[in-house]
Amino acid sequence: MNAPPGAAKTVDIDVKTGTWMSVDVSPDGKTLVFDLLGDLYTLPITGGEAKPLTHSIAWEQQARFSPDGRTMYHADSTSEGIWVHDMAADGSVSNRRHIGRASFERGIPDGMCVDTDGNLWVAHVGGRRAVKLSPTGEELDEIGAVHAEVRAPARRIRDLHRCDRRAVVAEVVRLRPDPRSPLLDLVE
């Protein structure tokens, strides 16, 4: 994906606003991380110039901070997994590593939130489920959408104010509930 055939052309753009963006605030309240046009940026919460964290052809999105702010996660539709970065106090990232590929064999990671224990809840586009991953990528839990496609809940999962199993189940079911779905029992 990052080495397409043919001649490349560079186009400079200056963007002041964006839509359909994913934004997260660092636990210390000092830094925003956001995606725009498939790349990730940080920005001081007080404003200023955005600093690019990623710059590639791959579509990198849904950046999320760990509860302690020392780790940043983001979904990558191209590699069908989650990238993990160590986050320094100055906002720079290092030690990039890939986790969770086996969990996404049935779908592409999309909406994501991080719970208070540092585990990731990730919705699958086309995978009909959401999964809970440990910070190292081990699959800990699964919420299957037996009769509904997990597509639009991805956006809702990433915007949850409280990220836990009950909240994720409620969002997966809420969009297109089916009375035959065993998930309805989990929401009650």
Side-chain angles (χ1 to χ4, degrees), residues 77-150:
S77 300
T78 308
S79 69
E80 298 181 1
I82 305 295
W83 286 102
V84 183
H85 309 264
D86 294 338
M87 195 87 187
D90 66 359
S92 63
V93 293
S94 62
N95 193 22
R96 179 177 159 124
R97 55 214 181 267
H98 197 262
I99 65 168
R101 179 177 287 262
S103 294
F104 300 105
E105 290 176 353
R106 299 186 322 200
I108 298 171
D110 190 22
M112 178 171 60
C113 63
V114 180
D115 67 23
T116 56
D117 295 325
N119 298 310
L120 293 86
W121 287 91
V122 187
H124 290 207
V125 169
R128 300 173 60 90
R129 70 186 194 141
V131 295
K132 178 182 180 181
L133 300 176
S134 73
T136 60
E138 177 188 355
E139 191 171 315
L140 303 174
D141 197 358
E142 172 183 359
I143 300 168
V146 179
H147 299 289
E149 184 69 20
V150 179

Coordinates of all heavy atoms in Angstrom, one line a residue, residues 77-150:
S77 N -6.5 0.6 8.5 CA -7.3 -0.3 7.7 C -6.5 -1.1 6.7 O -6.8 -2.2 6.3 CB -8.3 0.6 6.9 OG -9.1 1.3 7.8
T78 N -5.3 -0.5 6.3 CA -4.5 -1.2 5.3 C -3.8 -2.5 5.9 O -3.8 -3.5 5.3 CB -3.4 -0.2 4.8 OG1 -4.1 0.9 4.3 CG2 -2.6 -0.9 3.6
S79 N -3.3 -2.4 7.1 CA -2.6 -3.5 7.7 C -3.5 -4.4 8.5 O -3.2 -5.4 9.0 CB -1.5 -3.0 8.6 OG -2.0 -2.4 9.7
E80 N -4.8 -4.0 8.6 CA -5.9 -4.7 9.3 C -5.4 -5.0 10.7 O -5.5 -6.2 11.1 CB -6.3 -5.9 8.5 CG -6.8 -5.6 7.1 CD -7.3 -6.8 6.3 OE1 -7.1 -7.9 6.8 OE2 -7.8 -6.6 5.2
G81 N -5.0 -4.0 11.4 CA -4.7 -4.2 12.8 C -4.5 -2.9 13.5 O -5.0 -1.9 13.0
I82 N -3.9 -2.9 14.7 CA -3.7 -1.8 15.5 C -2.2 -1.5 15.6 O -1.5 -2.4 15.9 CB -4.3 -2.0 16.9 CG1 -5.8 -2.4 16.8 CG2 -4.1 -0.8 17.8 CD1 -6.7 -1.3 16.3
W83 N -1.8 -0.2 15.5 CA -0.5 0.2 15.7 C -0.4 0.7 17.1 O -1.3 1.5 17.6 CB 0.0 1.2 14.7 CG 0.3 0.6 13.4 CD1 -0.6 0.7 12.3 CD2 1.4 -0.2 12.9 NE1 0.0 0.0 11.2 CE2 1.2 -0.5 11.6 CE3 2.5 -0.6 13.6 CZ2 2.1 -1.3 10.9 CZ3 3.5 -1.4 12.9 CH2 3.3 -1.7 11.6
V84 N 0.7 0.4 17.8 CA 1.0 0.9 19.1 C 2.2 1.7 19.1 O 3.2 1.3 18.5 CB 1.1 -0.3 20.1 CG1 1.3 0.3 21.5 CG2 0.0 -1.2 20.1
H85 N 2.2 2.9 19.8 CA 3.4 3.8 19.9 C 3.7 4.1 21.3 O 2.7 4.4 22.1 CB 3.2 5.1 19.1 CG 2.7 4.9 17.7 ND1 3.5 4.9 16.6 CD2 1.4 4.7 17.2 CE1 2.8 4.7 15.5 NE2 1.5 4.6 15.8
D86 N 4.9 4.2 21.7 CA 5.3 4.8 23.0 C 5.2 6.3 22.8 O 5.7 6.8 21.8 CB 6.7 4.4 23.4 CG 6.7 2.9 23.7 OD1 5.7 2.3 24.0 OD2 7.9 2.3 23.7
M87 N 4.6 7.0 23.7 CA 4.4 8.4 23.6 C 5.3 9.1 24.6 O 5.2 8.9 25.8 CB 2.9 8.7 23.9 CG 2.4 10.1 23.5 SD 1.9 10.0 21.8 CE 1.6 11.7 21.6
A88 N 6.1 10.0 24.2 CA 7.0 10.8 25.1 C 6.3 12.0 25.6 O 5.3 12.5 25.0 CB 8.3 11.2 24.3
A89 N 6.9 12.6 26.6 CA 6.3 13.8 27.2 C 6.2 15.0 26.3 O 5.3 15.8 26.3 CB 7.1 14.2 28.5
D90 N 7.1 15.0 25.3 CA 7.1 16.1 24.3 C 6.1 15.9 23.1 O 6.0 16.6 22.2 CB 8.5 16.4 23.7 CG 9.0 15.2 22.9 OD1 8.3 14.2 22.7 OD2 10.2 15.4 22.4
G91 N 5.4 14.7 23.2 CA 4.4 14.4 22.2 C 5.0 13.6 21.0 O 4.2 13.2 20.1
S92 N 6.2 13.3 21.0 CA 6.8 12.4 20.0 C 6.5 11.0 20.2 O 6.2 10.6 21.3 CB 8.3 12.7 19.8 OG 8.9 12.2 21.0
V93 N 6.5 10.2 19.2 CA 6.2 8.7 19.3 C 7.4 7.9 18.9 O 8.2 8.4 18.1 CB 5.0 8.3 18.4 CG1 3.7 8.9 19.0 CG2 5.2 8.7 17.0
S94 N 7.5 6.7 19.5 CA 8.6 5.8 19.2 C 8.2 4.4 19.4 O 7.0 4.1 19.8 CB 9.9 6.1 20.0 OG 9.5 5.9 21.4
N95 N 9.0 3.4 19.0 CA 8.8 2.0 19.3 C 7.4 1.6 18.7 O 6.6 0.9 19.3 CB 8.8 1.7 20.8 CG 8.9 0.2 21.0 OD1 9.3 -0.6 20.2 ND2 8.4 -0.2 22.2
R96 N 7.2 1.9 17.4 CA 6.0 1.5 16.7 C 5.9 0.0 16.5 O 6.9 -0.6 16.1 CB 6.0 2.2 15.3 CG 4.8 1.9 14.5 CD 4.8 2.7 13.2 NE 4.1 2.1 12.2 CZ 3.1 2.7 11.5 NH1 2.8 4.0 11.8 NH2 2.4 2.1 10.6
R97 N 4.8 -0.6 16.9 CA 4.6 -2.1 16.8 C 3.2 -2.4 16.4 O 2.3 -1.6 16.8 CB 5.1 -2.8 18.1 CG 4.4 -2.3 19.3 CD 5.3 -2.3 20.5 NE 4.7 -1.9 21.7 CZ 4.7 -0.6 22.2 NH1 5.4 0.3 21.5 NH2 4.1 -0.3 23.3
H98 N 3.0 -3.5 15.8 CA 1.7 -3.9 15.3 C 1.1 -5.0 16.2 O 1.8 -5.9 16.5 CB 1.8 -4.4 13.9 CG 0.6 -4.5 13.1 ND1 -0.2 -5.6 12.9 CD2 -0.1 -3.5 12.4 CE1 -1.2 -5.4 12.2 NE2 -1.2 -4.1 11.9
I99 N -0.2 -4.8 16.5 CA -0.9 -5.9 17.4 C -2.2 -6.2 16.8 O -2.8 -5.4 16.0 CB -1.0 -5.4 18.8 CG1 -2.0 -4.2 18.9 CG2 0.3 -5.2 19.5 CD1 -2.4 -3.9 20.4
G100 N -2.7 -7.3 17.2 CA -4.1 -7.7 16.9 C -4.5 -8.2 15.5 O -5.6 -8.3 15.2
R101 N -3.5 -8.4 14.7 CA -3.8 -8.9 13.3 C -4.7 -10.1 13.3 O -5.7 -10.1 12.5 CB -2.6 -9.1 12.5 CG -2.9 -9.6 11.1 CD -1.7 -9.8 10.2 NE -1.1 -8.5 9.9 CZ -1.2 -7.9 8.7 NH1 -2.0 -8.5 7.8 NH2 -0.6 -6.8 8.5
A102 N -4.5 -11.1 14.1 CA -5.3 -12.3 14.1 C -6.8 -12.0 14.5 O -7.7 -12.6 14.0 CB -4.7 -13.3 15.1
S103 N -7.0 -11.0 15.3 CA -8.3 -10.6 15.7 C -9.1 -10.0 14.5 O -10.3 -9.9 14.6 CB -8.3 -9.6 16.8 OG -7.8 -10.2 18.0
F104 N -8.5 -9.5 13.5 CA -9.1 -8.8 12.4 C -9.2 -9.6 11.1 O -9.3 -9.1 10.0 CB -8.5 -7.4 12.2 CG -8.6 -6.6 13.5 CD1 -7.5 -6.4 14.3 CD2 -9.9 -6.1 13.9 CE1 -7.6 -5.7 15.4 CE2 -10.0 -5.4 15.0 CZ -8.9 -5.2 15.8
E105 N -9.0 -10.9 11.2 CA -9.1 -11.8 10.0 C -10.5 -11.7 9.4 O -10.7 -12.0 8.2 CB -8.6 -13.2 10.3 CG -7.2 -13.3 10.6 CD -6.7 -14.7 11.0 OE1 -7.5 -15.5 11.2 OE2 -5.5 -14.8 11.1
R106 N -11.5 -11.4 10.2 CA -12.9 -11.4 9.7 C -13.4 -10.0 9.5 O -14.6 -9.8 9.2 CB -13.8 -12.1 10.8 CG -13.4 -13.5 11.0 CD -14.4 -14.3 11.9 NE -14.9 -13.4 12.9 CZ -15.5 -13.9 14.0 NH1 -15.6 -15.2 14.2 NH2 -15.9 -13.1 15.0
G107 N -12.6 -9.0 9.6 CA -13.1 -7.6 9.4 C -12.0 -6.6 9.7 O -10.9 -7.0 10.2
I108 N -12.2 -5.4 9.3 CA -11.2 -4.3 9.4 C -11.5 -3.5 10.6 O -12.6 -3.1 10.9 CB -11.3 -3.5 8.1 CG1 -10.9 -4.3 6.9 CG2 -10.3 -2.3 8.2 CD1 -11.2 -3.6 5.6
P109 N -10.4 -3.2 11.4 CA -10.7 -2.4 12.6 C -11.1 -1.0 12.3 O -10.6 -0.4 11.3 CB -9.3 -2.3 13.3 CG -8.3 -2.6 12.2 CD -9.0 -3.5 11.2
D110 N -12.1 -0.5 13.0 CA -12.6 0.9 12.7 C -12.8 1.6 14.0 O -11.8 2.1 14.6 CB -13.9 0.7 12.0 CG -14.4 2.1 11.4 OD1 -13.5 3.0 11.3 OD2 -15.6 2.2 11.2
G111 N -14.0 1.7 14.6 CA -14.2 2.4 15.8 C -13.4 1.8 17.0 O -13.4 0.6 17.1
M112 N -12.9 2.6 17.9 CA -12.0 2.1 19.0 C -12.1 3.0 20.2 O -12.2 4.2 20.0 CB -10.6 2.0 18.5 CG -9.6 1.5 19.5 SD -8.0 1.2 18.8 CE -7.5 2.7 18.2
C113 N -12.1 2.4 21.4 CA -12.0 3.2 22.6 C -11.1 2.4 23.5 O -10.9 1.2 23.3 CB -13.4 3.5 23.2 SG -14.3 2.1 23.8
V114 N -10.6 3.1 24.5 CA -9.7 2.4 25.5 C -10.4 2.5 26.9 O -10.8 3.6 27.3 CB -8.3 3.1 25.5 CG1 -7.4 2.4 26.6 CG2 -7.6 3.1 24.2
D115 N -10.5 1.4 27.6 CA -11.1 1.4 28.9 C -10.1 1.8 30.0 O -8.9 2.0 29.7 CB -11.8 0.0 29.2 CG -10.9 -1.1 29.3 OD1 -9.7 -1.0 29.6 OD2 -11.4 -2.3 29.1
T116 N -10.6 1.9 31.2 CA -9.8 2.4 32.3 C -8.6 1.4 32.6 O -7.7 1.8 33.3 CB -10.6 2.6 33.6 OG1 -11.3 1.4 33.9 CG2 -11.6 3.7 33.3
D117 N -8.7 0.2 32.2 CA -7.6 -0.8 32.4 C -6.6 -0.8 31.3 O -5.6 -1.5 31.3 CB -8.2 -2.2 32.6 CG -9.1 -2.4 33.8 OD1 -8.7 -1.7 34.8 OD2 -10.1 -3.1 33.7
G118 N -6.8 0.0 30.3 CA -5.9 0.1 29.2 C -6.2 -0.9 28.0 O -5.4 -1.0 27.1
N119 N -7.3 -1.6 28.2 CA -7.7 -2.5 27.1 C -8.4 -1.8 26.0 O -9.1 -0.8 26.2 CB -8.6 -3.6 27.7 CG -7.9 -4.4 28.7 OD1 -6.8 -4.9 28.5 ND2 -8.6 -4.6 29.9
L120 N -8.3 -2.2 24.8 CA -9.0 -1.6 23.6 C -10.2 -2.4 23.3 O -10.3 -3.6 23.2 CB -8.0 -1.6 22.4 CG -6.8 -0.8 22.5 CD1 -5.7 -1.6 23.2 CD2 -6.3 -0.4 21.1
W121 N -11.3 -1.6 23.0 CA -12.5 -2.2 22.4 C -12.6 -1.7 21.0 O -12.6 -0.5 20.7 CB -13.7 -1.7 23.2 CG -13.9 -2.3 24.5 CD1 -13.4 -1.9 25.7 CD2 -14.5 -3.5 24.8 NE1 -13.7 -2.7 26.7 CE2 -14.4 -3.8 26.2 CE3 -15.3 -4.5 24.1 CZ2 -15.0 -4.9 26.9 CZ3 -15.8 -5.6 24.7 CH2 -15.7 -5.8 26.1
V122 N -12.6 -2.6 20.0 CA -12.5 -2.2 18.6 C -13.6 -2.9 17.8 O -13.9 -4.1 17.9 CB -11.2 -2.7 18.0 CG1 -11.0 -2.2 16.6 CG2 -10.0 -2.3 18.9
A123 N -14.4 -2.0 17.1 CA -15.4 -2.5 16.2 C -14.8 -3.0 14.9 O -13.8 -2.4 14.4 CB -16.4 -1.5 15.9
H124 N -15.4 -4.0 14.2 CA -14.9 -4.5 12.9 C -15.9 -4.0 11.8 O -17.1 -4.3 11.9 CB -15.0 -6.0 12.9 CG -13.9 -6.6 13.8 ND1 -13.4 -7.8 13.5 CD2 -13.3 -6.2 14.9 CE1 -12.5 -8.2 14.4 NE2 -12.4 -7.2 15.3
V125 N -15.4 -3.4 10.8 CA -16.2 -3.2 9.6 C -16.2 -4.5 8.8 O -15.1 -5.0 8.6 CB -15.6 -2.0 8.8 CG1 -16.3 -2.0 7.4 CG2 -15.8 -0.7 9.5
G126 N -17.4 -5.0 8.6 CA -17.5 -6.2 7.8 C -17.2 -7.5 8.7 O -17.4 -8.6 8.2
G127 N -16.9 -7.3 9.9 CA -16.6 -8.5 10.8 C -17.7 -8.9 11.7 O -17.6 -9.9 12.4
R128 N -18.8 -8.1 11.8 CA -19.9 -8.5 12.6 C -19.6 -8.7 14.0 O -20.2 -9.5 14.7 CB -20.7 -9.7 12.0 CG -21.1 -9.5 10.6 CD -21.7 -10.8 10.0 NE -22.8 -11.2 10.7 CZ -24.1 -10.9 10.5 NH1 -24.4 -10.1 9.6 NH2 -25.1 -11.4 11.2
R129 N -18.7 -7.9 14.6 CA -18.4 -8.0 16.0 C -17.5 -6.9 16.5 O -17.0 -6.1 15.7 CB -17.6 -9.3 16.2 CG -16.2 -9.4 15.7 CD -15.6 -10.8 15.8 NE -14.2 -10.7 15.6 CZ -13.3 -11.4 16.3 NH1 -13.7 -12.2 17.3 NH2 -12.0 -11.3 16.0
A130 N -17.4 -6.8 17.8 CA -16.4 -5.9 18.4 C -15.6 -6.8 19.3 O -16.1 -7.8 19.8 CB -17.1 -4.8 19.2
V131 N -14.3 -6.5 19.5 CA -13.4 -7.3 20.3 C -12.7 -6.4 21.4 O -12.6 -5.2 21.2 CB -12.3 -8.0 19.5 CG1 -12.9 -9.0 18.6 CG2 -11.4 -7.0 18.8
K132 N -12.4 -7.0 22.5 CA -11.6 -6.4 23.5 C -10.2 -7.0 23.4 O -10.0 -8.2 23.5 CB -12.2 -6.7 24.9 CG -11.4 -6.1 26.1 CD -12.1 -6.6 27.4 CE -11.4 -6.0 28.6 NZ -12.1 -6.5 29.8
L133 N -9.2 -6.1 23.3 CA -7.8 -6.5 23.2 C -7.0 -6.0 24.4 O -7.3 -4.8 24.8 CB -7.2 -6.0 21.9 CG -7.8 -6.4 20.6 CD1 -7.0 -5.6 19.4 CD2 -7.7 -7.8 20.4
S134 N -6.1 -6.8 24.9 CA -5.2 -6.3 25.9 C -4.3 -5.3 25.3 O -4.2 -5.2 24.0 CB -4.4 -7.5 26.5 OG -3.4 -7.9 25.5
P135 N -3.5 -4.5 26.0 CA -2.5 -3.6 25.5 C -1.5 -4.2 24.6 O -0.9 -3.6 23.8 CB -1.9 -2.9 26.7 CG -2.9 -3.0 27.8 CD -3.6 -4.4 27.5
T136 N -1.3 -5.6 24.7 CA -0.3 -6.3 23.9 C -1.0 -7.0 22.7 O -0.3 -7.6 21.9 CB 0.4 -7.3 24.7 OG1 -0.5 -8.2 25.2 CG2 1.3 -6.7 25.8
G137 N -2.3 -6.9 22.6 CA -3.0 -7.4 21.4 C -3.7 -8.7 21.6 O -4.3 -9.3 20.7
E138 N -3.7 -9.3 22.8 CA -4.3 -10.5 23.1 C -5.8 -10.3 23.1 O -6.3 -9.4 23.8 CB -3.9 -11.1 24.5 CG -4.6 -12.3 24.9 CD -4.2 -12.8 26.3 OE1 -3.4 -12.1 27.0 OE2 -4.8 -13.7 26.8
E139 N -6.6 -11.1 22.4 CA -8.0 -11.0 22.4 C -8.6 -11.5 23.7 O -8.4 -12.7 24.1 CB -8.6 -11.8 21.2 CG -10.1 -11.5 21.0 CD -10.6 -12.0 19.7 OE1 -9.9 -11.9 18.7 OE2 -11.7 -12.6 19.7
L140 N -9.3 -10.6 24.4 CA -9.8 -11.0 25.8 C -11.3 -11.2 25.8 O -11.8 -11.9 26.6 CB -9.5 -9.8 26.7 CG -8.1 -9.4 26.9 CD1 -7.9 -8.2 27.8 CD2 -7.3 -10.6 27.5
D141 N -12.1 -10.6 24.8 CA -13.5 -10.7 24.8 C -14.0 -10.4 23.4 O -13.3 -9.8 22.6 CB -14.1 -9.7 25.8 CG -15.6 -10.0 26.2 OD1 -16.2 -11.0 25.6 OD2 -16.1 -9.3 27.0
E142 N -15.2 -10.9 23.1 CA -15.8 -10.6 21.8 C -17.3 -10.4 22.0 O -18.0 -11.0 22.8 CB -15.6 -11.8 20.9 CG -16.4 -11.7 19.6 CD -16.3 -13.0 18.8 OE1 -15.6 -14.0 19.1 OE2 -16.9 -13.0 17.7
I143 N -17.8 -9.4 21.3 CA -19.2 -9.1 21.2 C -19.6 -9.4 19.8 O -19.3 -8.6 18.9 CB -19.6 -7.7 21.7 CG1 -19.1 -7.5 23.1 CG2 -21.1 -7.4 21.5 CD1 -19.1 -6.0 23.5
G144 N -20.4 -10.4 19.5 CA -20.8 -10.8 18.2 C -22.1 -10.1 17.9 O -23.0 -10.1 18.7
A145 N -22.2 -9.6 16.7 CA -23.5 -9.0 16.2 C -24.1 -10.0 15.3 O -23.9 -10.0 14.1 CB -23.3 -7.7 15.5
V146 N -24.9 -11.0 15.9 CA -25.4 -12.1 15.2 C -26.3 -11.7 14.0 O -26.1 -12.3 12.9 CB -26.2 -13.0 16.1 CG1 -26.8 -14.2 15.4 CG2 -25.3 -13.5 17.3
H147 N -27.1 -10.7 14.2 CA -28.1 -10.4 13.1 C -27.9 -8.9 12.6 O -28.7 -8.4 12.0 CB -29.5 -10.5 13.6 CG -29.8 -11.9 14.0 ND1 -29.9 -12.9 13.1 CD2 -30.0 -12.5 15.2 CE1 -30.2 -14.1 13.7 NE2 -30.2 -13.8 15.0
A148 N -26.8 -8.3 13.0 CA -26.6 -6.9 12.5 C -25.1 -6.7 12.1 O -24.2 -7.3 12.6 CB -26.9 -6.0 13.7
E149 N -24.9 -5.9 11.1 CA -23.6 -5.6 10.7 C -23.0 -4.5 11.6 O -23.6 -3.5 11.9 CB -23.7 -5.0 9.2 CG -22.4 -4.7 8.6 CD -21.6 -6.0 8.3 OE1 -22.2 -7.1 8.2 OE2 -20.3 -5.9 8.1
V150 N -21.8 -4.7 12.1 CA -21.1 -3.7 12.9 C -20.4 -2.8 12.0 O -19.3 -3.0 11.6 CB -20.1 -4.4 13.9 CG1 -19.4 -3.3 14.7 CG2 -20.8 -5.4 14.8

